Amino acid sequence: MTAMSRRFATLAASALLATSVAAPALAAEEPAHVEGRLPSGATWVMDVPENWNGTLLLFSHGYQAAGQPNPAENAPSEEAAAIALREGYALVGSSYATTGWAVEHAVPDQLATVDEFTRRFGQARRTIAWGQSYGGLVTTTIAERHADRIDGSLSMCGLVHGGIANWNSTLDAAYAVKTLLAPRSNLRLVDFPDPAAASEAAAQMTGVVEQAQTTPQGRARIALAAALHNIPGHNDPAQPEPGERDWEAQQRNQYEVMTRFPTTAMEWRQEAESRAGGNMSWNTGVDYARMLARSPHSREVEALYGSAGLSLQEDLAALADGPRISADPGAVDYMIGNVVFTGELATPQMDIHTTGDGLVPVQVTSAHRDAVTEAGANRELRQAFVGRPGHCTFTAGEQIAALRTVESRIDTGSWGSTEPAAMNARAEAAQPGAEHAYLSYRPAPHPRPFDLAD
């Protein structure tokens, strides 16, 4: 049981019995906390307040690496759960049957959890899917492929660019590290035969990055690799915020992410490849000079190359001429079948993202916006941004404010104001006294085309 589960388990001991008797919607006479297990093996957790307002919130949790604990979660934080329950929302969520890149399990497990809730408590008046990080990807998959099961959705710091775009962007930074910092090494970037090989490659890349950080030339090249993945120069609340032109401080902050990056680029990739049956990403035909020009970090890279006495053009030429990587068509088909987004939203969705996210850079929202625009579904999407470093470092009020915005759109058919002042006012109403930080922001383009056909 998670800490959040333990907190709400005390609300109603009599409701902890896993009975199969369904009660009518809105008829909860006392707070209920119930836990159980699906036939798939996934666990689930449900909290229903005494004053249930008829809205069910389906929460999709973030990525859990293979072998890590995988408890069921039904809210992004204890504080967000407390606010939501106080306001009358029912909360549900599953663990997913497996850890790792488990989208093909996560989506049916989440929908089965809704079915289980309906059997126990009755039909919800409306259902809103919300999720954070990898759970934002699960939520967006539900929104695109199972729109008949929900009334709206909220992705928080989510991978809304989809599976292929995610692994392509990860490959770009890894390719730059190998090509520019370890060109004669045997460093493997894709097609890992097993977890041990991936861990070995991750350790090797970490060593390469750490050694490069000791020289001006190495630091410039790390900055280039980081720019291709759009890693921000202020990405952790513990970091002092660098000045706008303090390139050295920005690079140090990017380096901190790059020392952790191999875990994603190798170990998490290997788990995803094992599901897909091969490598699902490629960099054939990619113009890295053009990608750098589109990056918000291009000036930093140019400045660091200049101070290091390096030729940026020569290194971009090395990236252009290096051995490229092709995808396995079957693995690409797996991704298309499970988690490539078309932008074809049929119900309202809101994306919120922090501007200083080093794990899932904010430019992923540009990819989603472009896809939704191309699909002609602009009316269904709104995006809002929080000016804060870190991955998913929202206040509970900021999350509840976005949730209320989606709910209002469902109720009225109009988004109303999603400007920063309005979003911060909603956040303050939900969580008074916190430092809410919605701001006006337009992210740079995503480094790679979002549309698979491109």
Side-chain angles (χ1 to χ4, degrees):
M1 185 187 295
T2 65
M4 191 187 318
S5 297
R6 287 192 295 270
R7 176 175 177 175
F8 292 108
T10 59
L11 292 176
S14 62
L16 291 174
L17 295 176
T19 67
S20 59
V21 178
L26 307 179
E29 296 180 353
E30 58 184 28
H33 174 90
V34 189
E35 299 183 25
R37 186 178 299 274
L38 296 171
S40 68
T43 57
W44 50 257
V45 58
M46 304 176 184
D47 285 288
V48 184
E50 181 178 1
N51 61 330
W52 182 32
N53 61 20
T55 296
L56 177 64
L57 304 182
L58 173 65
F59 180 70
S60 297
H61 69 71
Y63 185 89
Q64 297 289 350
Q68 295 299 307
N70 188 35
E73 300 178 34
N74 64 4
S77 68
E78 287 194 10
E79 190 157 23
I83 296 170
L85 288 170
R86 187 169 63 243
E87 296 189 1
Y89 298 100
L91 309 177
V92 302
S94 78
S95 63
Y96 321 147
T98 59
T99 53
W101 191 263
V103 183
E104 76 270 30
H105 296 147
V107 171
D109 285 342
Q110 289 291 81
L111 297 178
T113 298
V114 173
D115 293 337
E116 184 66 25
F117 177 90
T118 302
R119 282 192 290 272
R120 293 171 180 275
F121 297 101
Q123 183 68 49
R125 181 162 51 91
R126 70 163 72 88
T127 299
I128 299 175
W130 62 332
Q132 67 179 12
S133 191
Y134 168 82
L137 178 143
V138 174
T139 294
T140 305
T141 303
I142 292 172
E144 279 207 1
R145 302 188 179 201
H146 301 280
D148 60 319
R149 299 297 306 275
I150 63 172
D151 298 280
S153 53
L154 168 62
S155 170
M156 301 173 287
C157 54
L159 286 75
V160 291
H161 52 335
I164 287 179
N166 173 73
W167 293 114
N168 275 346
S169 184
T170 302
L171 176 62
D172 291 329
Y175 171 78
V177 168
K178 178 178 181 179
T179 303
L180 300 179
L181 296 174
R184 289 178 292 278
S185 74
N186 63 350
L187 179 61
R188 182 187 291 268
L189 302 181
V190 299
D191 292 320
F192 298 101
D194 51 47
S199 295
E200 181 180 348
Q204 185 179 358
M205 176 175 278
T206 300
V208 168
V209 170
E210 289 176 344
Q211 179 60 37
Q213 186 69 10
T214 64
T215 69
Q217 295 78 16
R219 292 192 289 272
R221 286 169 169 148
I222 291 172
L224 173 54
L228 296 179
H229 195 50
N230 274 337
I231 296 172
H234 187 210
N235 54 68
D236 189 322
Q239 298 167 341
E241 183 172 5
E244 184 179 354
R245 299 174 66 86
D246 189 348
W247 312 124
E248 290 78 12
Q250 292 179 34
Q251 191 279 333
R252 283 195 301 273
N253 293 341
Q254 291 168 325
Y255 162 73
E256 291 183 15
V257 175
M258 290 298 294
T259 60
R260 301 187 297 270
F261 175 76
T263 296
T264 303
M266 278 78 175
E267 295 179 357
W268 294 7
R269 169 185 283 278
Q270 185 278 329
E271 198 279 337
E273 286 184 346
S274 70
R275 292 177 180 274
N279 168 37
M280 56 282 178
S281 57
W282 64 90
N283 68 350
T284 51
V286 174
D287 185 341
Y288 285 108
R290 181 172 182 270
M291 282 180 60
L292 178 62
R294 288 159 55 93
S295 169
H297 310 295
S298 59
R299 291 173 61 199
E300 172 204 345
V301 173
E302 292 168 357
L304 291 174
Y305 265 77
S307 62
L310 278 178
S311 169
L312 178 57
Q313 295 308 311
E314 288 183 6
D315 274 4
L316 289 173
L319 293 178
D321 295 338
R324 298 304 181 98
I325 294 170
S326 300
D328 183 319
V332 172
D333 288 344
Y334 168 87
M335 284 289 165
I336 294 172
N338 285 285
V339 64
V340 165
F341 298 140
T342 65
E344 295 173 351
L345 293 173
T347 57
Q349 174 158 329
M350 189 167 203
D351 300 334
I352 62 172
H353 220 99
T354 50
T355 57
D357 193 332
L359 182 62
V360 184
V362 66
Q363 286 78 14
V364 303
T365 60
S366 297
H368 195 208
R369 183 190 66 234
D370 291 348
V372 171
T373 298
E374 187 171 344
N378 306 60
R379 183 175 181 274
E380 305 299 344
L381 180 69
R382 289 295 183 275
Q383 296 179 327
F385 303 94
V386 171
R388 189 175 294 119
H391 179 55
C392 302
T393 51
F394 303 108
T395 65
E398 288 161 353
Q399 294 169 323
I400 298 298
L403 182 67
R404 287 173 171 169
T405 301
V406 173
E407 188 173 34
S408 177
R409 168 65 172 77
I410 295 168
D411 285 341
T412 67
S414 171
W415 281 104
S417 177
T418 55
E419 294 300 312
M423 295 298 295
N424 285 324
R426 293 181 196 123
E428 178 66 18
Q431 186 189 22
E435 295 184 5
H436 308 300
Y438 280 105
L439 81 169
S440 296
Y441 184 79
R442 177 85 172 183
H446 191 259
R448 291 273 204 113
F450 180 83
D451 188 339
L452 182 64
D454 290 339

